[in-house]
Amino acid sequence: MTKQTHNGGIYRSLIAQLDKIARHNRQGSFRTRERYYKAMKRFCRFLAEEYHLQKLSNLSAKHLNAYIQKLQAEGKSASTIKTDLAAIRLFHDKMDAKYPLPDNDNLAVKLERRKFGGVDRTWSQREFGLFIFKCWDAGHEDYATIATLTYYAGLRIHECFRLDTAAAENALLTGHLTVKGKGGKIRSVPINESIRIELKKMLAVTPRGQKLFVPEGVPTHIAINRLQQFICAVRPEIQDPDSNRPMTHHGLRHTYAAHTYQEQIKGGDSPLDARYQVSRLLGHERPDVTCAYLASVKKKGGRHGT
C-alpha cells in the first residue's frame, strides 16, 4: 500500500526528478542503490510536506538540517541517519544543484556518534510515570494513551496514530489489539488493564468511526509532530537525574522490548526464543533485529523491572 502524503502533486514531481537520476545511477551494489533510493524517497516526502520544494536542484543546507532534526526526534539511530545522509549526498552530487551541502562536520545540528551493539533508549518507570502526569496536567489524555500503548504494547508512533474507534472497541472486546504495521503487516498484541482504561477514556471523547489521536482537519504528520514536540518540551522536567539516555517516543518501544524479553526469560524461555517472541510482538520478522532494542538488558544490574 502506498503511503499517503499531503501535497501529493509536489511529491510526485520530486519522485519523477529522483527517478530520472536513479535510472542512470550505477554506483554501489544493487542493495545499496535500493537502500539509498528508499531513503531519498522519504526525504522527498519530507521536502514536499514541510517545504513544498518544487525542484530537487534547489535543495540546501536548511532542508538537510531540518530533516536530521526530524529523524533525531523520531529516535532514529546515528547509523540510520548517516546512511540517509550518504544517500542524499549521492543523489545531490548527480544533479545540477544550485547550492552545496555541508559535510557532517559542518552541519548546524550535532550528529550522534555511531554506537555498535545498540543504544539504551529505554525510559525508567519513574520517567514514564512523570510523563503521564505531565500529559494529564496539560490536558493531553491522548498523549498519555499513546505513551501507554507503546510502553505496554510496543506500538510504533505511526501505528498509534492509525488506530480508530473500531480498533479500540475490538481490543476491549477481545483483549488483543490488532495493529497494522510496516509494509501493511498485521499483528495482534495483548493489552493490559492500563491500556483498557486509557482506551475507554479515548472512546468516550472520540466520535465513532474516527481516529483516536488525529483531530478532524489535522494532517496525521502534524499530529505526530505535536506529540514529539511535547516530549521534547517536558523531557528536562521528567528525565532521571544524571541520565544521558535519549528520551523519544521510540524509546518507549525499547522499554517494552526490554521488559517483555526479561519476562520471557523469567518464564523459562531461552534467549533465542525470547528474542523471537519480542521480535514477533514488535512486528519484525527476525529475532536478531531485536538485539538493537535490548541494550539496557545487556547492562549488568539493569534498572528495568517488569
Side-chain angles (χ1 to χ4, degrees):
M1 179 180 293
T2 302
K3 184 176 180 178
Q4 296 296 316
T5 182
H6 294 271
N7 302 301
I10 297 176
Y11 174 67
R12 288 189 292 273
S13 175
L14 293 179
I15 294 300
Q17 297 169 47
L18 171 62
D19 287 345
K20 185 176 180 180
I21 301 170
R23 280 195 294 270
H24 301 286
N25 177 37
R26 295 294 180 268
Q27 189 171 335
S29 66
F30 174 79
R31 292 188 66 180
T32 297
R33 293 199 301 270
E34 183 180 37
R35 165 70 175 85
Y36 279 16
Y37 178 76
K38 289 181 178 178
M40 195 63 185
K41 281 186 69 176
R42 292 192 294 271
F43 186 46
C44 285
R45 179 177 291 112
F46 170 79
L47 294 173
E49 293 184 343
E50 300 299 329
Y51 287 95
H52 303 176
L53 190 73
Q54 302 282 344
K55 296 181 179 179
L56 283 178
S57 59
N58 289 335
L59 180 62
S60 68
K62 74 174 183 179
H63 303 121
L64 199 63
N65 289 317
Y67 190 56
I68 294 169
Q69 289 177 318
K70 173 182 180 293
L71 295 178
Q72 290 176 337
E74 292 175 351
K76 295 296 189 292
S77 69
S79 177
T80 295
I81 293 174
K82 289 182 178 179
T83 300
D84 281 12
L85 287 177
I88 293 168
R89 290 197 176 94
L90 181 143
F91 284 101
H92 181 264
D93 289 344
K94 294 181 181 298
M95 65 180 75
D96 185 17
K98 189 173 181 180
Y99 308 104
L101 294 181
D103 59 28
N104 288 357
D105 293 329
N106 292 297
L107 291 164
V109 293
K110 185 177 180 181
L111 291 178
E112 182 183 345
R113 290 181 175 273
R114 292 177 187 255
K115 297 179 181 179
F116 299 95
V119 178
D120 182 4
R121 300 179 180 276
T122 53
W123 292 40
S124 69
Q125 189 175 39
R126 171 188 173 276
E127 290 169 335
F128 173 70
L130 287 176
F131 179 73
I132 296 298
F133 281 120
K134 285 291 183 182
C135 293
W136 290 343
D137 286 344
H140 272 299
E141 187 68 54
D142 52 344
Y143 292 174
T145 304
I146 292 169
T148 300
L149 284 166
T150 303
Y151 188 83
Y152 290 115
L155 270 63
R156 298 179 176 94
I157 193 167
H158 288 88
E159 292 170 346
C160 291
F161 279 86
R162 287 193 189 107
L163 295 176
D164 57 17
T165 56
E169 290 169 352
N170 185 65
L172 293 176
L173 182 66
T174 65
H176 285 76
L177 187 62
T178 300
V179 181
K180 187 174 185 179
K182 285 186 177 180
K185 295 176 184 174
I186 306 296
R187 71 183 188 278
S188 177
V189 292
I191 63 172
N192 63 7
E193 187 60 26
S194 294
I195 292 177
R196 293 180 67 88
I197 291 171
E198 290 299 320
L199 289 180
K200 287 178 181 178
K201 290 179 183 177
M202 291 308 301
L203 283 172
V205 298
T206 307
R208 198 179 187 105
Q210 291 192 11
K211 291 184 178 179
L212 296 181
F213 309 115
V214 183
E216 188 173 0
V218 177
T220 300
H221 76 281
I222 296 296
I224 291 174
N225 184 253
R226 288 174 180 173
L227 167 60
Q228 292 168 332
Q229 290 178 346
F230 182 81
I231 294 174
C232 289
V234 303
R235 182 164 49 204
E237 303 174 51
I238 66 174
Q239 191 162 28
D240 287 340
D242 302 322
S243 171
N244 61 359
R245 287 173 285 109
M247 287 187 68
T248 64
H249 175 271
H250 192 67
L252 293 168
R253 190 164 144 88
H254 280 243
T255 310
Y256 168 77
H259 287 180
T260 304
Y261 177 83
Q262 291 171 324
E263 289 173 356
Q264 296 298 126
I265 292 296
K266 289 178 181 179
D269 280 359
S270 68
L272 178 60
D273 287 340
R275 288 200 304 273
Y276 182 85
Q277 174 68 354
V278 172
S279 178
R280 184 185 67 80
L281 290 170
L282 289 175
H284 289 296
E285 294 181 346
R286 307 191 317 272
D288 57 299
V289 176
T290 309
C291 293
Y293 290 86
L294 301 178
S296 66
V297 177
K298 297 176 184 178
K299 292 183 177 181
K300 186 177 180 181
R303 51 190 166 64
H304 297 289
T306 56

